[in-house]
Structures are given as C-alpha cells and as structure tokens.
Amino acid sequence: MSPTTTDALKRRASAPPLLQWVWVGALVGVVCGAASAIFLELLDFATKTRVASELWVWCLPFAGAAIGFIYDHWGKPIRGGNNLVIDTVHDDRPQIPLRMAPMVLVGTVLTHLFGGSAGREGTAVQMGASLADAVAHFFRLTPHVRRQMLAAGIAGGFGSVFGTPVAGAVFGLEVVCIGRLEYDALLPALIAAVVGDLTTRALGVTHTAYPVPAALPLDAMVLAKWLVFGAGIALATVLFVELTHGLKARLERWVPRLPVRMFLGGCLVVLMWRLVGSGDYLGLGVPTIVAAFTEPDIPAYAFLAKIVFTAVTLSAGFLGGEVTPLFFVGATLGNILGQALGLPLELAAGVGLAALFGAAANTPLALSIMAVELLGGNAFPHVVIVVTAAYVMTGHRGIYPAQRLLRGKWGGPPLQPAVALRDVSQRPPPGEDPPSPQRAKVDTSQDG
C-alpha cells in the first residue's frame, strides 16, 4: 500500500463519528467475513478428513503436544483467548497481538482435524477482535472508538461464522458486561456483523440449515412446561461451566507445562472415544445436532457425554469455542426434555440449542434473536422464556470469566466498579444483594 493511499485511508477514518463508524465498521466486517470464510472452509475440510479415517483421532495427543509447544513459545500473550478480548474492551490494554488471528485459526483447525471436541465461536471472536484492533491501531483511533471497534470485531466474527448478523451485533454488545448493553457501539457492531455475513456468503460459504418448528400457542400449561425445561437447561449449564473451569484450574496446577497437559488431555479424549464407541462426540457434532430435531431415539446420555468431551478438550488447552458443543448439549437435552414434557420435538430441540448457550454466555437477548435467525419466528416467545429462566437460575457464573458483572441478576444497585466473574466468590440467593468487590475473591486460574 502506497503512502498516498495510506494517508487517504487515515483521513477517511478520522471523519465525523457517524461516517467513521460506517467506514471503519464496514472495513472490520470485510476482514472478519473473509477470515470466517477461510476458517469455515478449512474447518469443513478438517472435519471431512477426520470422518474419513479414524486414524487421525489416535494422533490427538501428539497434535496437542505440538500445539502446546507452539503456544508455550510464541502464544503466551494471546492465551487468554476470549477473556483477553473482553479484558481489553474494559481495561484499554495494549493492542491484541495480530498473530492471534492466524494462530487461533490454525490451532482450532488442528483441534478438529484430530478429533478434539470444541466449537468455532471462540476462534471467530478472537480473529475478529484481533483484526479489528489492528484496524483501530492502524488508523490511530481514540481509546473510546477503539473500544467500539473491538465490539464490532466480536460482532463481525460471531455474526459471520454462524450466518446470524443481527444476533452477532447484539452478542458484541451484550457479552462484555452483565447488566448493561454497550449501545454506543451498536451502529459499528451492526455494520460489521451485516457486512461480515455478506462477505462470508459472497465467498461461497453456506451455513447449517435447521428444521423450522411449527407454531405452538403459549398457554398456562405450556408455560409451566417451559419453566421446568428451563430448570433442566440451567442445571446442564452449571454442570458445564463448573466442570470446565474446575478441571482447567486443577490441570494447570497439576500439570504446569502446556504441551504435557495437552498431550494428557488428548490421551483422555482418545480413551473416552474408545470407551463410548462412537465418534459422535468429537469435533462439532453438527449431524447429531440436526438429528435431535427429528429423531426421538437420541441417547439419553448424549448431552452429558458431550459436556465431558468438551470440558476435557478445552480444559487441556485445545483451541476452539464453546458455542457449537453447547448447541449439541442444548439440542440433545431439549430432545429428551421435550419428549418427557410432551413438547414438540423440533421446537424443544431448537429452544434447548439457543437457551443453553444463552445462559452459559450470559447473553439471553443475543441468543433469543439467534433462534429467530436460525429457526424462524415460531420459536421466539418460547426461547425467550426458557433462556431468561435459565439465565437467572445459573447465578453469577459463565463460560467467560472476564465478563464484568455490573448489576446482579436478581436486582440491586449497580456495582462500582464492576466485578469480573472470575472474582466473584459468592452467589447470593434471590432477594439478597449481589456480590460486591469487597466480597470478591480473585481466581486467576480461570483467565483462559
């Protein structure tokens, strides 16, 4: 790029706020969408390659050791992952290293190639945020605008990797803080998410199509069933969050060296794979997610097996996100609960899919919208009820320990300053005051 072109771009980026948001937001969307397209194509290739030969899974421990060696030597500044992104949004930390994008992309593809149980949202969000931060620093944007661009990067990555731009925009605003939406970043986040999705689709990427459930009138009996359903979703969410964070903390304490930890974690995943006798719980698990919408004979233990496979994979240090595995857990658990409660199978699986991740990520609004983008409007009132109930029942915990708690889920005054979830040691029952910084206990083992 010539100096003249660079100067012209920088002048354009220093335009009045509205034009600045449009221009830089669109640029962030293009780079996020292109990165997601490359990532999804590589991920599809890796999944098909692994499915074609189970020999790849046997090599997971050695792949883990190699990935761990690389991250141990060159990836320490980016090992915080999504939590590093959230911390940077709040604390105006130094630039997120640009190498986060290629390293997390390659690490996630290798994780899936060799059978690790992980998702893709973490990779998309980290790629989007690191690319957006590079754009912000290139144009020398102010700290406030940089913060908005980071939210746009989160939105662009999430919206483009799932083909849900509106949910992506809201996710970028909702995920960084519990109790407040970052409305000042709404426009750039929406532009980045929409442009990112359009870019990914323009590059020929298609997304998973889910069955559209039929309408179900909401009455008192259906409402009661959904509340019971929501309690089941909340229990599964708590199990996943506590198991993943607890196992991660213990593995880091017992096995400090990342390559060794990932080797042992890979061995454990291979052992579980052979004990279960099925590859359904490796990788993303999309075929099982789709089957949960229509097949009544999904194994009753499927959701629990996926929780354990994913917790071990991520706790050991393998790369990827939680969304698609949690879609698996939510859809299969929804399948079981729907049959037990007499709810339509397609609707129960779809509501479970969205609600479980919404509760785990503390993003009920984004996942309610995502349900509409994936499943159509018939799911909307039902998923709002379930995800809200599960979100409240899970208490002050979540898959992203760096999320800031500004206001307790059960009300009360705002916390000043806001408390990171990793620092919250007490979760009061409904009716009591939310945690405060004075009652917080720092747990740095959950920074990853």
Side-chain angles (χ1 to χ4, degrees):
M1 185 179 295
S2 68
T4 303
T5 304
T6 300
D7 291 342
L9 288 173
K10 289 183 176 179
R11 283 195 301 271
R12 195 168 182 179
S14 62
L18 180 59
L19 295 178
Q20 186 181 69
W21 286 338
V22 172
W23 161 241
V24 183
L27 179 58
V28 169
V30 169
V31 296
C32 288
S36 289
I38 295 170
F39 171 54
L40 291 174
E41 289 295 324
L42 291 174
L43 199 58
D44 184 60
F45 173 79
T47 300
K48 289 178 179 177
T49 302
R50 186 193 73 245
V51 171
S53 174
E54 67 178 21
L55 292 176
W56 291 97
V57 184
W58 289 104
C59 298
L60 179 64
F62 304 100
I67 297 170
F69 177 82
I70 293 170
Y71 262 74
D72 218 22
H73 284 76
W74 297 285
K76 288 182 180 179
I78 62 173
R79 279 183 38 196
N82 285 349
N83 294 296
L84 171 63
V85 173
I86 295 173
D87 280 332
T88 302
V89 171
H90 286 286
D91 300 336
D92 192 28
R93 295 187 175 192
Q95 179 181 351
I96 298 173
L98 185 57
R99 66 178 178 271
M100 172 181 270
M103 289 186 69
V104 73
L105 184 151
V106 173
T108 303
V109 171
L110 291 176
T111 294
H112 284 273
L113 175 63
F114 293 98
S117 176
R120 49 196 173 187
E121 125 282 340
T123 304
V125 166
Q126 291 167 50
M127 289 194 303
S130 62
L131 292 169
D133 210 18
V135 170
H137 279 79
F138 177 80
F139 290 122
R140 299 177 184 176
L141 301 178
T142 65
H144 179 68
V145 178
R146 178 204 180 199
R147 190 168 181 270
Q148 295 172 330
M149 289 306 107
L150 285 170
I154 296 172
F158 189 95
S160 61
V161 85
F162 290 108
T164 54
V166 180
V170 177
F171 183 84
L173 308 180
E174 191 176 19
V175 71
V176 296
C177 191
I178 301 171
R180 180 183 67 201
L181 280 176
E182 302 294 324
Y183 280 116
D184 61 339
L186 175 59
L187 183 58
L190 180 61
I191 291 171
V194 171
V195 172
D197 178 52
L198 291 174
T199 301
T200 302
R201 294 179 189 274
L203 292 173
V205 173
T206 58
H207 301 281
T208 303
Y210 296 99
V212 177
L216 176 67
L218 187 62
D219 57 28
M221 180 57 69
V222 171
L223 176 60
K225 290 179 179 181
W226 283 131
L227 293 177
V228 175
F229 190 102
I233 293 293
L235 287 173
T237 302
V238 171
L239 175 61
F240 179 83
V241 171
E242 296 295 341
L243 179 62
T244 302
H245 290 337
L247 185 58
K248 181 178 186 294
R250 285 166 176 78
L251 286 176
E252 288 179 345
R253 185 165 60 250
W254 295 338
V255 190
R257 290 293 308 280
L258 181 61
V260 179
R261 191 161 69 244
M262 293 184 70
F263 177 84
L264 294 176
C267 290
L268 186 53
V269 171
V270 171
L271 176 62
M272 293 190 298
W273 166 60
R274 298 316 300 163
L275 289 175
V276 172
S278 171
D280 291 345
Y281 308 107
L282 303 175
L284 294 170
V286 172
T288 304
I289 297 174
V290 176
F293 282 76
T294 56
E295 297 182 13
D297 57 350
I298 296 290
Y301 61 82
F303 78 94
L304 186 58
K306 189 62 173 178
I307 287 177
V308 176
F309 270 79
T310 307
V312 171
T313 298
L314 298 180
S315 299
F318 285 93
L319 280 298
E322 296 90 352
V323 174
T324 309
L326 289 178
F327 281 179
F328 183 115
V329 175
T332 52
L333 178 58
N335 178 292
I336 302 303
L337 292 175
Q339 293 184 69
L341 295 170
L343 293 165
L345 199 59
E346 289 184 350
L347 184 60
V351 169
L353 175 151
L356 198 139
F357 178 69
N362 294 303
T363 54
L365 296 181
L367 269 295
S368 296
I369 295 170
M370 191 176 197
V372 175
E373 292 185 289
L374 293 177
L375 308 172
N378 290 336
F380 185 66
H382 309 287
V383 75
V384 170
I385 292 169
V386 174
V387 72
T388 301
Y391 163 78
V392 173
M393 292 179 190
T394 53
H396 299 108
R397 53 168 62 83
I399 56 176
Y400 305 130
Q403 275 182 317
R404 297 316 195 256
L405 180 65
L406 180 67
R407 189 185 299 272
K409 291 184 180 181
W410 306 300
L415 303 181
Q416 295 296 337
V419 185
L421 285 186
R422 59 174 168 250
D423 299 334
V424 176
S425 61
Q426 299 185 37
R427 300 176 176 90
E432 294 188 11
D433 292 335
S436 66
Q438 290 75 25
R439 295 164 60 187
K441 179 181 178 181
V442 176
D443 180 8
T444 56
S445 68
Q446 296 183 0
D447 284 348

